Amino acid sequence: MQVNELITSDPDILSGQTVFAGTRVPVETLFDHLEAGIPLDEFLDDFPTVSKEQAVALLEAVSKLLTDKNIRQVYVVAQ
């Protein structure tokens, strides 16, 4: 699954906040849940419009990004 199939940002949906494609669920909500120790399955129960495939694919993409040789670019963007 490509990133553009996983997430989207549209000024007409939640003021342009990045959301899971086809939903109004902010991507940030997944990370907030995980940070709070809430299991992925509980997040999916709370937000049934997000598929497990979407959530897992996004986590895999983020993991790859953070372990990729381009991590220095992430540092620059995050500052």
Side-chain angles (χ1 to χ4, degrees):
M1 191 174 280
Q2 299 294 318
V3 173
N4 63 343
E5 296 173 313
L6 295 172
I7 60 174
T8 187
S9 179
D10 181 332
D12 294 329
I13 299 173
L14 297 177
S15 300
Q17 192 170 7
T18 303
V19 298
F20 284 93
T23 78
R24 296 179 61 81
V25 180
V27 169
E28 183 177 2
T29 304
L30 170 61
F31 293 102
D32 289 345
H33 274 63
L34 295 175
E35 183 178 10
I38 298 169
L40 178 60
D41 286 336
E42 191 171 327
F43 167 80
L44 295 169
D45 288 343
D46 290 345
F47 300 95
T49 57
V50 178
S51 72
K52 186 169 188 172
E53 180 184 22
Q54 282 177 303
V56 169
L58 178 65
L59 292 171
E60 288 172 351
V62 170
S63 175
K64 183 177 179 182
L65 175 66
L66 294 177
T67 57
D68 190 79
K69 64 182 178 182
N70 296 320
I71 189 68
R72 293 183 203 287
Q73 294 176 353
V74 173
Y75 292 145
V76 170
V77 172
Q79 291 183 0

